[in-house]
Amino acid sequence: MTQSIHNKHHCTHCKTRKNSSQINISTLSCASVHCNRVINITLLNMRTLVRVLLYDVVLATVHIIVDAYLIYSYYDAGDPWWAAATITAVCLPGLLELLTYTYSFLHGDLSGVKEFIFWAVFFGPVLFPFSLVAWHIYQVYKGEKHFKKYENIARSRVLTSLSVLTKSALQ
């Protein structure tokens, strides 16, 4: 596994600073001949969580606030059709999720009724934008190791893409 680390990091054993070429990424160990200890790269590990907080929590919250203000301004200006179109655009990702989980439930892919009800209510048309932000906050709370599990990172990418692509196309 080859990746580059842009910052220099400190080896806690040999007390030297290492650049990208001096770190074995697959084992996160010092590549010096005299030292084979794990390098302290906590700032590198936090990069994923900071990215999730910025893009999936803060910016998503701003997007929700802007959408709510837009709906309000349409109603206030006497344009109920534009307000309804904006509400439809906001609810579309949740509606698509509801249809997907309904199909999965009827097909027998879900573990039971509780799982279907959870996804249908919290990630349904009305609560989808808020649940998406809450789900990412929960993932950040659980930590980077939990977030980087395949099922969590895949779900994050699918839900975020679904939200962004459906709303951006309509508005």
Side-chain angles (χ1 to χ4, degrees):
M1 175 176 181
T2 305
Q3 292 180 355
S4 64
I5 298 178
H6 302 291
N7 299 330
K8 291 189 175 191
H9 300 285
H10 180 72
C11 176
T12 57
H13 180 67
C14 66
K15 307 292 187 217
T16 58
R17 298 198 50 87
K18 305 294 176 187
N19 62 26
S20 303
S21 63
Q22 297 171 311
I23 297 175
N24 183 349
I25 296 298
S26 61
T27 60
L28 296 178
S29 60
C30 181
S32 298
V33 175
H34 66 280
C35 179
N36 212 6
R37 299 292 172 107
V38 173
I39 294 179
N40 182 8
I41 56 170
T42 55
L43 291 177
L44 178 67
N45 291 339
M46 300 224 10
R47 186 171 64 194
T48 300
L49 297 180
V50 169
R51 182 192 56 79
V52 170
L53 278 173
L54 177 65
Y55 292 113
D56 298 325
V57 175
V58 174
L59 289 180
T61 303
V62 169
H63 196 199
I64 291 169
I65 292 168
V66 168
D67 284 343
Y69 178 74
L70 186 63
I71 293 167
Y72 170 76
S73 67
Y74 284 141
Y75 274 123
D76 193 43
D79 291 326
W81 290 107
W82 281 109
T86 305
I87 291 170
T88 303
V90 169
C91 292
L92 184 59
L95 178 64
L96 293 175
E97 272 298 301
L98 178 64
L99 292 174
T100 300
Y101 274 95
T102 302
Y103 174 79
S104 296
F105 177 70
L106 295 175
H107 192 258
D109 295 334
L110 299 180
S111 62
V113 177
K114 286 183 180 181
E115 184 180 7
F116 171 72
I117 291 173
F118 172 79
W119 285 100
V121 171
F122 292 111
F123 285 87
V126 177
L127 296 177
F128 182 83
F130 306 104
S131 297
L132 188 59
V133 171
W135 185 82
H136 279 100
I137 290 171
Y138 176 74
Q139 297 303 319
V140 168
Y141 171 75
K142 293 291 277 188
E144 184 181 25
K145 187 175 182 180
H146 177 77
F147 181 76
K148 285 205 168 188
K149 289 181 182 176
Y150 174 76
E151 61 271 5
N152 292 330
I153 199 119
R155 180 167 283 155
S156 171
R157 289 181 180 163
V158 167
L159 292 175
T160 303
S161 296
L162 180 66
S163 177
V164 170
L165 293 175
T166 54
K167 285 195 263 184
S168 296
L170 294 174
Q171 292 180 351

